[in-house]
Amino acid sequence: MTMHPDLAPCQSDILLELFLELDAVTPEGIRAQLVEGEIVVTTPPVGSHEHCLSRFTSRLVRQRYEFGISAHKGLILPAYGPHPDNHVIPDLTVVGAREFRGAPPWWRPDEEIKLVVEVTGARPDLDRIAKRRSYALGGIPLYLLIDRDRATTTLFSEPQDDDYCKTHSAPFGKPLPLPAPFSFDLETTDFL
């Protein structure tokens, strides 16, 4: 089906309105996100997903204390193509210690975000492709992907346009160096 160019903005507005209505009535524990024109609803994650997040968060807290960390922060980021802006909820969002103060539920960040983390779930390509593209378009400097299916941890850095210029991967069991402002080797053995 080919959309008439004059209809696309109207349909985009309707999709965004439907998403915002759904988001307003989504029960706690359920996440509604709008990613590249698709409304994605996810239920609470499985234990191995949360285990990976817990291990990463524990390691981060032991290393540095001046960060704010959220597992529920809604971000409004540019979409790829003719879609309304993406409304994504990373598994973890890491910012400066005071950056969450006063932020609305759906936040359009400027340069406050230091890192976002995703752990693959039921739809791993959402994290591998669409969300990576959105984070790059949003200028988020570091994107850490813990890919449970592939048993790898990948750090994407230096966003440019709709992707990251640099990637560094390590299989589970090998350390992955994290650059400043983190400056530590992320041990991934515990992700196994």
Side-chain angles (χ1 to χ4, degrees), residues 159-173:
Q160 184 176 349
D161 300 323
D162 63 353
D163 206 352
Y164 286 88
C165 294
K166 290 188 177 181
T167 61
H168 185 75
S169 293
F172 286 0

Side-chain angles (χ1 to χ4, degrees), residues 13 21 24 31 46 51 94 121 146 160 164 166 172 175:
D13 291 344
E21 287 178 19
R31 289 182 175 183
V46 297
H51 171 78
V94 181
I146 301 171
Q160 184 176 349
Y164 286 88
K166 290 188 177 181
F172 286 0

Side-chain angles (χ1 to χ4, degrees), residues 66-69 94-100 112-114:
E66 70 270 9
F67 295 116
I69 303 169
V94 181
V95 299
R98 301 172 87 59
E99 300 298 334
F100 288 129
E112 298 91 346
I113 295 179
K114 310 292 184 205

Side-chain angles (χ1 to χ4, degrees), residues 114-190:
K114 310 292 184 205
L115 169 78
V116 292
V117 179
E118 294 285 359
V119 178
T120 55
R123 295 186 54 196
D125 282 343
L126 190 68
D127 298 322
R128 292 177 189 141
I129 300 167
K131 283 189 170 185
R132 183 181 87 210
R133 190 167 30 229
S134 183
Y135 296 144
L137 284 165
I140 294 175
L142 299 171
Y143 170 37
L144 182 68
L145 176 63
I146 301 171
D147 195 324
R148 294 181 304 135
D149 297 332
R150 294 181 176 165
T152 61
T153 306
T154 303
L155 180 69
F156 299 92
S157 61
E158 296 186 21
Q160 184 176 349
D161 300 323
D162 63 353
D163 206 352
Y164 286 88
C165 294
K166 290 188 177 181
T167 61
H168 185 75
S169 293
F172 286 0
K174 301 286 184 188
L176 179 72
L178 297 182
F182 305 100
S183 303
F184 68 88
D185 286 348
L186 175 63
E187 293 298 330
T188 64
T189 301
D190 226 7

Side-chain angles (χ1 to χ4, degrees), residues 19-20 23-24 31-34 72-77 85-90 103-109:
F19 166 73
L20 293 173
D23 180 58
R31 289 182 175 183
Q33 301 177 83
L34 179 59
H72 307 288
K73 190 73 218 128
L75 304 178
I76 302 173
L77 300 170
D85 283 344
N86 287 333
H87 289 64
V88 298
I89 304 172
W106 287 104
W107 184 36
R108 192 179 298 274

